[in-house]
Amino acid sequence: MGYIDDINCKCVTPWGEVKLKDAYINLGWSDQYKEEPKMKPTVYKINEMFESIQGEGAHTGEPVIFVRLAGCSMGCEWCDTKYCQEVHYTLTAEQILNHIEANFIKKPVVISGGEPFEQPIKELIEALKSKGYKVWIETNGAEEMPSG
């Protein structure tokens, strides 16, 4: 007969000791011993972040913060941001938000690239909006816009 050793986080069975998580998975024991899965935050490939004046579209002339994501699979000859293939930083949405709040006066944030929709940007958008930022996306239109 086996027993649970909660103090040392192990399960002792007639066949040896296993970690509680493994005991739960392999032996199907009670939910009270199941470890909650830890979700890793999305890590974004960033080329650069800076303040500037929006130069395109309906908001031309407005001061903005650019979060330029790295990478684009299109390879267009006429691309004016080929340098965006380079990853200079890898940051979570929380780290991006912390950098913006520590370094810039609050204004709309433009997520640009490269191609922003080649990364899962929903978490980043939600983090920015939760702090009251307007968020605009600059895309080449080749990728489908995520729902939500």
Side-chain angles (χ1 to χ4, degrees), residues 72-76 78 114-118 138-146:
C72 177
S73 61
M74 294 294 288
C76 301
W78 58 86
E115 174 47 52
F117 290 145
E118 288 185 10
E138 286 186 353
T139 176
N140 61 28
E143 298 290 325
E144 186 172 324
M145 187 169 75

Side-chain angles (χ1 to χ4, degrees), residues 118-134:
E118 288 185 10
Q119 297 188 48
I121 62 173
K122 184 176 180 181
E123 183 182 332
L124 176 56
I125 294 168
E126 289 173 354
L128 291 164
K129 290 176 104 178
S130 75
K131 295 292 187 170
Y133 288 92
K134 292 180 184 176

Side-chain angles (χ1 to χ4, degrees), residues 9 13 15 39 58 69 77 92-93 114 129 147:
C9 296
T13 70
W15 308 279
M39 299 290 291
L69 301 180
E77 284 182 36
T92 65
K129 290 176 104 178
S147 61

Side-chain angles (χ1 to χ4, degrees), residues 100-117:
I100 288 171
E101 291 188 323
N103 294 285
F104 307 121
I105 296 170
K106 193 169 204 167
K107 56 185 71 106
V109 175
V110 177
I111 302 174
S112 185
E115 174 47 52
F117 290 145

